[in-house]
Amino acid sequence: MNHFEYDAAGVLHGEGVSLVALAQAVGTPTYVYSHATLSRHYRVMDEALGGVDHLICYSVKANSNLAVLQLLASLGSGFDIVSVGELRRVLAAGGDPAKVVFSGVGKRDDEIAAALRAGIHCLNVESAWELARCAIVAEQIGLPAPISLRVNPDVDAKTHAYISTGLRSSKFGVPFDEALRLYRQAHASPHLRIVGIDCHIGSQIVEPAPLVEALERVLELVDTLQAEGVHLDHVDMGGGLGITYKDERPAPPRAIGEAYAARLAPRGLRLLVEPGRVIAGNAGVLLMRVLGTKTNGDRTFVITDAAMNDNIRPSLYKAWQDISPVNHHPDRPDEVVDVVGPICESGDFFAHDRTLPALVRDDLLVMRSTGAYGYSMASNYNSRTRPAEVMVHGDSWTVIRPREDVADLFATERLLPIARLPVVDSSS
Ligand code: LLP
C-alpha cells in the first residue's frame, strides 16, 4: 500500500498534495516521496519481526537522502552502509552509529578506520584479505574491530542475474568451508571481536523459500561454531524482500518474519535485516512532463523531460515500472507508445509498447515505484542536472533536495593553464 492516489476530480495526489500543484511549484522531473508510506513500511517490517529480538538496518543505497535517513532513524532504524560516504550521511542525519553495519565486497583501510572510530555495530567482512585488513587497522588505531562474516550460502534467489548474489559463483561473501577457517582465525586475533554472521542472497526476491533455505544453511555454520566455542550474538539475513512493480505478489514480510523468528528465537540469536527496496521502493514516484510526441515508422514515441540518467532501472535491468498520467483523461483514446527520454542512446527508454491515453506536450506523468534505486543511481550523463526531491507529509511538502543547477555540474572542474594549450598556426 502507498499514499499516491487519485482524488475525486481525477488528479493524482501524494498524500494530500496535488502533483499538478507540486509540478508547478517545483518543476519536473522531481522525485516525490511519501512520509506516511515510508513510516508505514518501516513499521510493517518492525511488526513482522516482532517474534524475535531484532534490528532493522535500512539499506542506505536504496535511497540515501538525508531526510529519508532522518525519518527512519527517528523510527528507531539502524543502517546498512557500503561506503564511508554512506556512513557520513547516516551520521549527518542523526543515525545511531551503534546500529550501523558496514557491508560491501571491498572496504578501504580509511573506511574501516572511519567506521571503527564512529563506533559502528560491525563490519560485514567478505574475504580473507578484508579480515586481515580489519585486524591490521584495528591494531593501528587501537580499537578492536567488531566483525561478522558474510557467507555465501550457495542458494538461488531466483531474481534478475545482476541482483542475485547468493550463488557460489558470485563475487559476494566467503564460501562455507572457508568461513569456518576465517572464524577460527578471527577468534584467535586480539584485534577482532566476532559478533555475528551475515548473508544476502539477492534483491527483489518474491518467494520466502530461498531466504529460509539460506537461513538454515547459515544456522548449520552457527552450530558448528558454537560447538567449537565461537559464540555469535546475531544473524544478519541481509535485505532482498521484493515489491510489486507490476503483478508480482511478494510474500508478506510477516511470513518471512515468522519463519526467521521460529528458527532464531529458540537459540537466543538476535536477527538483523537490511531492507532497502521494501521500505523505500513504493514510497516514491518520479514526476515528469511530456516534452512532445512523434511517430517514426510504426512506432509512436512519447518523449519526457526525465531520462535514463534520472532512473536507470528500465535501461539497466529492463525493469518494468508503471507509468501513469497525473490527470485522468477518460475522454482520450488509448495509444500504444514507447516512453523515452531525450538522451542520445536507444537504451534511454522507460517503457516499450505501453498502453496509455493519448498524450500531448505538457501532460504530467509519474513513474511509480521509484523510491528505491531511483535517485540513488541517478547520474549527470549528457550534463543533465539531477531531479529535485520532495517529501510530502499530509497536506504539506518539503523540498529535501533542490534541483541541481548546471553550474553545479562543472563547478569543481578546472581549465588548463593557457601555456599548456597547443599553439595553432593558422597560416599553414
Ligand atoms: N544488503 C546488501 C549487502 C545489499 O547488497 C543490498 C542490495 C541490500 C542489503 C538491500 O537490498 P534490498 O532490500 O533493497 O533488495 N540497483 C538494483 C538493486 C541492487 C541491490 C544491491 N544490493 C535495482 O535497482 O533493482
Side-chain angles (χ1 to χ4, degrees), residues 380-396:
N380 294 116
Y381 187 40
N382 277 209
S383 286
R384 290 169 52 88
T385 52
R386 287 175 301 173
E389 290 179 292
V390 168
M391 180 84 77
V392 293
H393 32 93
D395 294 336
S396 52

Side-chain angles (χ1 to χ4, degrees), residues 84-151:
V84 72
E86 289 190 349
L87 175 62
R88 297 263 299 266
R89 282 182 173 276
V90 167
L91 298 177
D96 179 355
K99 293 184 182 172
V100 169
V101 297
F102 193 164
S103 303
V105 182
K107 302 168 195 69
R108 299 189 310 261
D109 285 4
D110 66 290
E111 293 185 303
I112 296 171
L116 295 181
R117 290 203 174 97
I120 70 162
H121 177 64
C122 75
L123 292 143
N124 288 339
V125 174
E126 296 220 14
S127 60
W129 71 260
E130 223 184 41
L131 190 68
R133 294 314 306 173
C134 286
I136 291 167
V137 174
E139 182 176 12
Q140 277 167 356
I141 66 173
L143 292 169
I147 61 109
S148 165
L149 281 192
R150 175 169 176 181
V151 296

